[in-house]
Amino acid sequence: LGVSIDIDLSWTGGDPDGDLVKYDVYFGTSSSPPKIVGNQSATSYDPGTMSYNTTYYWMIVAWDIYSKSTQGPVWNFQTNRPPNQPSNPTPANESINVSINEEISWTGGDPDVGDTVTYDVYFGTSSSPSIVSDNQTGLNYDPGTLLFNTPYYWKIVAWDDHNASAAGPLWTFTTGIQANQPP
């Protein structure tokens, strides 16, 4: 489970007599995978970029120079799923009268047990906010003291340790108006 979508398949082969061995590679999403490469000498195969959250099956048939063969078992694995899309923003999207000392936070995570997730934080007064923190593990960010009566925009992009990502939506909030001070 949780295999990278960019991994190469590899196996151990050889011949007890020391004969030259060639391999047929069977690979696909069916439990009876089709033959996709024949007569290769390498003991690895690059299937290219696979799809997320997909079960793949593969098998190797080894052939010696005397046309004798041995078929390996059908193996299978499931590719990684991207991290959870960041959600549940605090302050809530489109909030008004937000404190100028507000810390932003969100929920995240990953459906694949054991995956490490990091976050890129985009924050600013533009509707296309700039990145202000990258590769952070925490689910919050302190932007410092904000300006009064100002709209802020932010979004979070989650990354897992297999380089899969999930971007949250663009969120916004507006800080409160500065209280009038007596003369």
Side-chain angles (χ1 to χ4, degrees):
L1 296 176
V3 173
S4 172
I5 62 170
D6 291 315
I7 197 165
D8 289 348
L9 308 176
S10 65
W11 59 93
T12 302
D15 185 274
D17 303 320
D19 296 333
L20 178 67
V21 178
K22 299 285 184 154
Y23 302 96
D24 294 342
V25 179
Y26 293 74
F27 179 79
T29 56
S30 162
S31 60
S32 296
K35 179 177 164 182
I36 55 171
V37 174
N39 203 32
Q40 79 166 35
S41 56
T43 56
S44 65
Y45 173 73
D46 181 359
T49 302
M50 296 174 277
S51 298
Y52 286 116
N53 197 28
T54 302
T55 300
Y56 288 94
Y57 298 86
W58 64 294
M59 176 182 72
I60 303 299
V61 177
W63 294 88
D64 69 11
I65 59 174
Y66 301 104
S67 297
K68 300 284 185 181
S69 67
T70 299
Q71 177 178 313
V74 175
W75 296 295
N76 69 77
F77 60 91
Q78 183 176 5
T79 53
N80 181 55
R81 295 173 284 182
N84 299 331
Q85 182 182 38
S87 60
N88 301 317
T90 299
N93 190 34
E94 300 184 358
S95 292
I96 57 173
N97 294 321
V98 172
S99 168
I100 62 168
N101 296 309
E102 187 75 20
E103 182 174 278
I104 61 173
S105 64
W106 60 92
T107 58
D110 194 285
D112 293 322
V113 175
D115 278 7
T116 301
V117 180
T118 59
Y119 301 93
D120 293 344
V121 179
Y122 295 77
F123 187 88
T125 56
S126 163
S127 60
S128 296
S130 299
I131 192 165
V132 293
S133 178
D134 65 339
N135 204 31
Q136 73 169 52
T137 56
L139 297 170
N140 59 348
Y141 174 75
D142 185 352
T145 304
L146 305 174
L147 300 172
F148 286 106
N149 196 30
T150 304
Y152 286 91
Y153 300 87
W154 61 293
K155 73 175 183 176
I156 306 299
V157 178
W159 294 88
D160 72 11
D161 49 353
H162 300 282
N163 209 31
S165 67
L170 182 66
W171 295 311
T172 184
F173 66 85
T174 303
T175 52
I177 298 172
Q178 184 174 11
N180 186 24
Q181 303 296 320

